[in-house]
Amino acid sequence: MANSPHDHSERPDPADLGILTTAMPADTNPSGDIFGGWLMSQMDLAAGNIAARLSKGRVATIAVDGMVFLTPVQVGDEVTVYAKVISVGRTSMKMKVDAYRRPREGEDKVRVTEAIFTFVAIDDNGKPRPVAGG
């Protein structure tokens, strides 16, 4: 994976892999690029899986900070989302989430967006619970 002008941090750690999927025609906007909302949902799924595993139960996304779309994703691109825990509070977790695209016919991954996602661990009634309280 080569660094690119859009890749403004270190390479992702494979251990932080949350989702690997392929962008499909149904995920496009009228211009033919992949919807930003679809990409954001993939990031939320990836980070949410890691947050649920960490908290040993249900979680809810409560905030997304600093999302900037750097380059479009095209139909057929492999989309890889990495999520790394950056802090854990009593009931909440913050994660740095990065999404990359790899053209179907290429090898180089390019970062397409990044954001900080905050999750709260919740109980069966949707009320906050301690992260360690699974």
Side-chain angles (χ1 to χ4, degrees):
M1 173 172 47
N3 288 340
S4 77
H6 299 293
D7 188 323
H8 31 95
S9 76
E10 71 283 348
R11 295 177 185 191
D13 182 340
D16 297 331
L17 177 64
I19 282 182
L20 187 139
T21 190
T22 301
M24 299 298 288
D27 307 318
T28 60
N29 62 28
S31 299
D33 296 322
I34 298 302
F35 270 117
W38 177 84
L39 187 56
M40 186 175 182
S41 72
Q42 298 304 305
M43 295 170 75
D44 192 36
L45 286 168
N49 286 338
I50 293 168
R53 194 166 52 233
L54 175 67
S55 71
K56 299 182 179 25
R58 286 179 65 192
V59 297
T61 308
I62 62 164
V64 179
D65 298 316
M67 182 167 273
V68 176
F69 295 98
L70 304 169
T71 187
V73 175
Q74 305 295 317
V75 171
D77 285 352
E78 176 186 273
V79 175
T80 311
V81 180
Y82 299 90
K84 183 177 189 75
V85 177
I86 55 174
S87 67
V88 178
R90 192 178 75 76
T91 63
S92 65
M93 298 149 279
K94 282 192 181 225
M95 297 196 188
K96 170 90 166 39
V97 185
D98 297 289
Y100 290 79
R101 69 181 281 268
R102 182 189 59 80
R104 185 178 196 105
E105 67 284 349
E107 293 299 323
D108 291 340
K109 289 184 180 179
V110 176
R111 180 177 302 187
V112 294
T113 189
E114 61 189 24
I116 303 296
F117 280 68
T118 304
F119 294 87
V120 168
I122 56 174
D123 64 19
D124 291 337
N125 297 315
K127 303 292 183 197
R129 64 170 175 82
V131 169

